[in-house]
Amino acid sequence: MNNYNTIIAQATPIGRGGIGIVRISGLNSKKISFLILKKTLKPRYAKYTSFYDFNNKILDKGIALWFPKPNSFTGEDILELHCHGGPIIINLLIETILKTKQVRIAKPGEFLKRAFLNNKLDLIQVEAIYDLINTNSILAAKLAIKSVSGVFSIKINNIIKLINNLRINLETQINFTNENINMFTKKEVKKYLNNIIKNINNILKNSIKGYMLREEKKIVIFGLPNVGKSSLINILSNDKVSIVTKFLGTTRDIIKQNIEINNIQINIIDTAGLRLTKNKIEKIGIKKTINIIKQSDHLLFLISSIKKKNFLNLKYDFIKKIPNNLPITVIRNKIDLTKELPGIFLLKNYTLICLSIISLDGIILLKKHLKKIVLNNNFTESIFFSRLRHLELLKKAKYYLIKSKKKIKYMFYKELLADKLILVNNELNKLIGIKKDQNIINEIFSNFCIGK
């Protein structure tokens, strides 16, 4: 990509710190290097040196790094200046460099965008970098770095190669009918299509799991007052995020907390106790509880073991308002009072966990169950940290392939099949960014900070 402007930005977070990094990319980077450093740098070697203004006065001393094109992050000449992390120093350095002609402040995500346009990264890798920067759990970071490294992209590119091989064979048969060419039979084409569909299904299955991890499940704790809801969120978060008292109706608002269980991020939500009440403030809290329940991915229905009534027979109005398709785990708390043993059981369509929040008996069982919920019972190392965009394009590609397979069952038209394969290719090319959709590209890069 030839870009007339050279761009500059602070690559480290705004504020004070030990180090501040200023990044410059573009045609004038080499000229800026000589103006600011008064010397030529050896490529990819760190040099401790002085930084000068245009009056030859020292602004600061620090580390300078020079990355000549095309062997740089953006594919352009890049100069990095590592100075002291005070905002005044960084701003002075940037203001000095901006006096150079054809140099401007970078737009959000523009360094990455140039890397993408210069074929240093594909679109999946760019999105994974964003996820890596913004992730809140170790597992999510591990999955994101896999995509940054190109593991997801390689899988997609392998499928594109398979599709191209089949399409080239078909188009060769169409255009060179009299030549002695090893032509695929109808049976071989079907087998080839089945193999491609199988590969897409495998990627899609693992991408769906990755998408579920990326979207962070909302798990809501609900139940009658004083059954231990607030105590449970405090235990799970290892913090006193919710007030606990012996009085009914203490919790009157929604308490949200991100917790990490075995490197997995979960959004756990404490709610007001569900009961009939005349208190106006408590009524508002109960209404909020019902609304947040409808938005949740999984419910933890907390009951007290000292209450003899079977929870399945509870027919009060609140239970009727819960959507039928919402999965519910029933937690039977206070087993320390009834001298029961902790355990996890299957009861009709529910998972029942017996535990004590006071003694912590059974809490490990609950944590394992929460991990199982988030990982959808089937975590594998082949999961990709995915977005809705990825799933939609994979599903569309699969749809075209299945449609093609059904058509050749009745009539083997090579021309029609070759055209359908082009459509499949287009969807997969959009996924990695070979087919450039400017709206998608602009949306993705606008989410990044200015220095990235």
Side-chain angles (χ1 to χ4, degrees), residues 8-10 12-24 36 49-53 57-63 81-98:
I8 180 172
Q10 180 177 341
T12 43
I14 302 296
R16 298 181 189 278
I19 297 172
I21 299 175
V22 174
R23 179 181 285 164
I24 304 116
I36 297 296
T49 185
S50 298
F51 305 150
Y52 297 88
D53 65 13
K57 291 181 179 178
I58 294 176
L59 292 171
D60 196 10
K61 292 177 77 73
I63 301 291
L81 304 174
H82 298 222
C83 60
H84 290 96
I88 300 297
I89 297 296
I90 295 168
N91 288 339
L92 275 174
L93 198 53
I94 291 173
E95 285 170 12
T96 300
I97 293 167
L98 283 172

Side-chain angles (χ1 to χ4, degrees), residues 1-3 73-76 109-123 126 432-438 441-442 445:
M1 179 187 98
N2 291 319
N3 196 299
F73 176 68
T74 60
E76 303 172 333
E110 192 170 2
F111 290 96
L112 263 175
K113 190 173 185 178
R114 291 188 178 199
F116 167 68
L117 294 174
N118 286 324
N119 300 314
K120 290 291 179 178
L121 298 166
D122 63 38
L123 216 50
V126 169
I432 57 177
I434 293 174
K435 188 175 178 66
K436 293 176 172 59
D437 184 324
Q438 283 305 319
I441 289 169
N442 291 337
F445 287 99

Side-chain angles (χ1 to χ4, degrees), residues 3 40 46 179 181-182 205 218 220 248 306 317 349 368 384 395 397 417 427:
N3 196 299
T40 302
E179 298 292 328
I181 297 166
N182 182 23
K205 181 177 70 176
K218 285 183 185 175
V220 172
L248 297 178
I306 57 177
D317 291 339
N349 296 324
K368 285 180 179 177
F384 305 113
K395 285 175 182 176
L417 180 55
E427 299 308 314

Side-chain angles (χ1 to χ4, degrees), residues 261-422:
I261 297 174
N262 297 120
N263 302 330
I264 297 165
Q265 198 76 13
I266 300 171
N267 186 221
I268 202 96
I269 301 165
D270 182 24
T271 60
L274 298 176
R275 66 168 180 156
L276 295 173
T277 179
K278 293 180 180 180
N279 187 296
K280 288 183 180 180
I281 298 173
E282 194 177 349
K283 277 183 178 180
I284 294 169
I286 291 167
K287 189 176 180 181
K288 281 188 174 184
T289 296
I290 293 165
N291 288 335
I292 200 74
I293 280 172
K294 291 174 182 176
Q295 300 168 32
S296 68
D297 298 298
H298 198 97
L299 299 177
L300 300 181
F301 182 22
L302 212 61
I303 61 172
S304 172
S305 64
I306 57 177
K307 301 284 185 183
K308 298 299 180 185
K309 199 170 185 179
N310 189 331
F311 81 93
L312 294 174
N313 295 326
L314 289 174
K315 296 296 183 183
Y316 51 85
D317 291 339
F318 307 114
I319 296 294
K320 293 176 185 176
K321 293 177 182 178
I322 295 172
N324 291 327
N325 60 338
L326 260 179
I328 299 175
T329 296
V330 181
I331 300 175
R332 186 176 163 86
N333 184 30
K334 303 185 182 180
I335 61 169
D336 54 304
L337 299 176
T338 55
K339 308 301 180 186
E340 298 172 55
L341 293 174
I344 184 165
F345 313 97
L346 193 63
L347 183 60
K348 293 195 176 181
N349 296 324
Y350 303 94
T351 298
L352 173 65
I353 300 174
C354 296
L355 54 76
S356 168
I357 294 168
I358 293 294
S359 68
L360 302 184
D361 288 333
I363 292 294
I364 291 174
L365 291 174
L366 174 59
K367 287 183 176 180
K368 285 180 179 177
H369 180 66
L370 291 175
K371 181 181 177 182
K372 200 174 179 184
I373 290 167
V374 175
L375 295 179
N376 203 25
N377 304 328
N378 193 19
F379 176 73
T380 65
E381 287 298 320
S382 55
I383 286 178
F384 305 113
F385 212 42
S386 305
R387 297 178 171 220
L388 187 59
R389 183 183 80 85
H390 304 160
L391 303 183
E392 288 174 346
L393 290 170
L394 284 167
K395 285 175 182 176
K396 206 167 181 182
K398 180 184 169 183
Y399 166 77
Y400 287 134
L401 286 166
I402 290 171
K403 203 171 181 181
S404 303
K405 184 184 163 188
K406 284 179 180 177
K407 281 193 174 181
I408 66 170
K409 184 179 179 182
Y410 305 104
M411 196 66 71
F412 187 28
Y413 287 118
K414 298 182 183 72
E415 294 88 348
L416 291 175
L417 180 55
D419 287 343
K420 272 285 186 288
L421 291 175
I422 290 172

Side-chain angles (χ1 to χ4, degrees), residues 18-72:
I19 297 172
I21 299 175
V22 174
R23 179 181 285 164
I24 304 116
S25 179
L27 293 171
N28 287 322
S29 298
K30 195 168 189 176
K31 178 182 176 182
I32 292 164
S33 174
F34 191 76
L35 288 170
I36 297 296
L37 308 175
K38 310 301 180 189
K39 63 182 72 174
T40 302
L41 296 175
K42 188 177 179 181
R44 291 174 296 281
Y45 275 79
K47 177 72 176 177
Y48 180 71
T49 185
S50 298
F51 305 150
Y52 297 88
D53 65 13
F54 291 167
N55 296 316
N56 291 330
K57 291 181 179 178
I58 294 176
L59 292 171
D60 196 10
K61 292 177 77 73
I63 301 291
L65 289 157
W66 168 246
F67 303 95
K69 66 179 182 182
N71 301 315
S72 70

Side-chain angles (χ1 to χ4, degrees), residues 61-238:
K61 292 177 77 73
I63 301 291
L65 289 157
W66 168 246
F67 303 95
K69 66 179 182 182
N71 301 315
S72 70
F73 176 68
T74 60
E76 303 172 333
D77 288 341
I78 283 185
L79 175 66
E80 279 193 5
L81 304 174
H82 298 222
C83 60
H84 290 96
I88 300 297
I89 297 296
I90 295 168
N91 288 339
L92 275 174
L93 198 53
I94 291 173
E95 285 170 12
T96 300
I97 293 167
L98 283 172
K99 291 174 184 175
T100 311
K101 286 183 180 179
Q102 297 164 6
V103 179
R104 63 170 171 81
I105 292 289
K107 297 172 186 175
E110 192 170 2
F111 290 96
L112 263 175
K113 190 173 185 178
R114 291 188 178 199
F116 167 68
L117 294 174
N118 286 324
N119 300 314
K120 290 291 179 178
L121 298 166
D122 63 38
L123 216 50
I124 289 175
Q125 289 173 301
V126 169
E127 290 168 311
I129 288 171
Y130 178 86
D131 291 330
L132 185 62
I133 292 168
N134 292 283
T135 187
N136 292 317
S137 75
I138 294 169
L139 177 60
K142 285 179 179 178
L143 295 178
I145 199 66
K146 280 174 63 181
S147 292
V148 172
S149 303
V151 176
F152 192 1
S153 304
I154 288 167
K155 298 272 185 188
I156 300 300
N157 280 310
N158 286 341
I159 292 175
I160 290 172
K161 284 177 187 175
L162 289 173
I163 292 163
N164 283 337
N165 287 341
L166 178 57
R167 185 168 59 82
I168 289 165
N169 188 282
L170 292 169
E171 289 179 352
T172 305
Q173 292 178 44
I174 295 163
N175 295 318
F176 303 97
T177 52
N178 297 324
E179 298 292 328
N180 185 22
I181 297 166
N182 182 23
M183 296 186 294
F184 283 168
T185 64
K186 180 180 174 180
K187 186 177 179 181
E188 286 173 328
V189 170
K190 282 179 71 175
K191 186 178 178 182
Y192 210 101
L193 285 173
N194 281 334
N195 183 41
I196 296 170
I197 291 168
K198 182 182 175 183
N199 278 311
I200 287 182
N201 276 335
N202 286 336
I203 293 174
L204 196 51
K205 181 177 70 176
N206 289 318
S207 296
I208 289 168
K209 293 173 189 172
Y211 174 73
M212 290 171 69
L213 275 171
R214 186 179 183 277
E215 289 305 298
E216 198 177 272
K217 280 194 177 258
K218 285 183 185 175
I219 298 180
V220 172
I221 306 169
F222 81 108
L224 296 171
N226 276 17
V227 290
K229 300 184 298 300
S230 297
S231 297
L232 182 59
I233 195 172
N234 289 346
I235 289 292
L236 292 174
S237 62
N238 292 318

